[in-house]
Amino acid sequence: MTGEQRAHTGRRRNEEARRAVLDAALRLLADADGAAVSVDAIAKEAGVGKQTLYRWWPSKGAVLLDALTDRAEQAAPVPDSGTLRADLRAVVAATFEGAQRAPVAPALRSLVREAAHDPRLAELMREFTGARRTALREVLERGQRRGELPADRDLDLMVDQVYGVFWYRFLLGHAPLGEAEAVRLADSLIAQGS
């Protein structure tokens, strides 16, 4: 149904139209190969009017941030199984796997390239990565409260280790980002805390 006009929903946010906009933004960003994606193009691809985007989001960047955040929350939710090892393995594996799926992988790579030249997009990328860091930190804090990590453990450094490995491998592609690597990384972080 890409590009088909959707029924006007007025000022009320329509979830079907919202999903269409978020999906369209990711698709277009993935296909853009570093070129800018316009609000007009997102609206046309989603089958909504341009005014819908401006009514619901303050900027094109806000649409892209919402799309990435939404996809990340779907792909890598924050589990609470009762054990740090299981939760950390799950979050890291879901992050690695979810970021490599289309259209997220090319969209993320395009955003990183664009953010290098656009301070507004760079700020949106900081917001996006900050939200993902906070989600991972919640998992570590729960483990710390349960006594699975020492109280003096530097949780921010642990988060940096996970996302440092992720971004380095994701952007350079020099080594895999699979489930086996996620499990080894999670286990090594827990072992460092013992």
Side-chain angles (χ1 to χ4, degrees):
M1 285 181 53
T2 9
E4 291 180 16
Q5 203 63 17
R6 295 184 193 286
H8 178 67
T9 60
R11 297 198 59 80
R12 186 174 41 84
R13 203 172 213 190
N14 174 296
E15 186 56 26
E16 179 188 353
R18 178 182 171 276
R19 287 254 48 94
V21 168
L22 298 181
D23 292 344
L26 282 179
R27 269 193 314 276
L28 289 171
L29 191 59
D31 294 343
D33 195 31
V37 174
S38 71
V39 169
D40 287 332
I42 294 170
K44 183 177 179 186
E45 178 78 7
V48 300
K50 186 168 72 169
Q51 70 279 9
T52 298
L53 271 75
Y54 286 122
R55 187 179 317 118
W56 294 345
W57 292 278
S59 67
K60 175 186 73 170
V63 175
L64 299 175
L65 176 64
D66 196 9
L68 276 177
T69 302
D70 178 71
R71 206 45 78 87
E73 288 170 354
Q74 289 176 33
V78 182
D80 189 0
S81 68
T83 71
L84 175 61
R85 184 173 307 278
D87 291 349
L88 189 56
R89 283 178 170 185
V91 168
V92 176
T95 298
F96 286 9
E97 197 269 324
Q100 295 180 84
R101 276 192 239 137
V104 174
L108 267 179
R109 285 186 179 95
S110 289
L111 271 180
V112 168
R113 276 194 306 272
E114 281 189 52
H117 306 287
D118 183 339
R120 290 179 314 241
L121 267 182
E123 180 57 36
L124 291 171
M125 282 299 293
R126 278 190 290 280
E127 286 179 39
F128 170 70
T129 57
R132 300 316 305 156
R133 289 178 57 82
T134 298
L136 178 56
R137 196 172 200 295
E138 287 174 20
V139 168
L140 297 171
E141 287 171 348
R142 276 198 313 264
Q144 203 170 46
R145 284 192 300 271
R146 290 189 301 253
E148 296 172 276
L149 286 175
D152 64 348
R153 189 65 200 277
D154 186 343
L155 302 184
D156 289 322
L157 182 59
M158 291 177 76
V159 171
D160 285 344
Q161 288 174 304
V162 169
Y163 284 109
V165 168
F166 167 75
W167 284 108
Y168 188 71
R169 289 184 175 199
F170 178 75
L171 292 173
L172 298 181
H174 79 286
L177 278 173
E179 186 172 354
E181 292 77 23
V183 167
R184 280 199 312 273
L185 178 57
D187 289 351
S188 74
L189 290 172
I190 292 170
Q192 292 171 25
S194 302

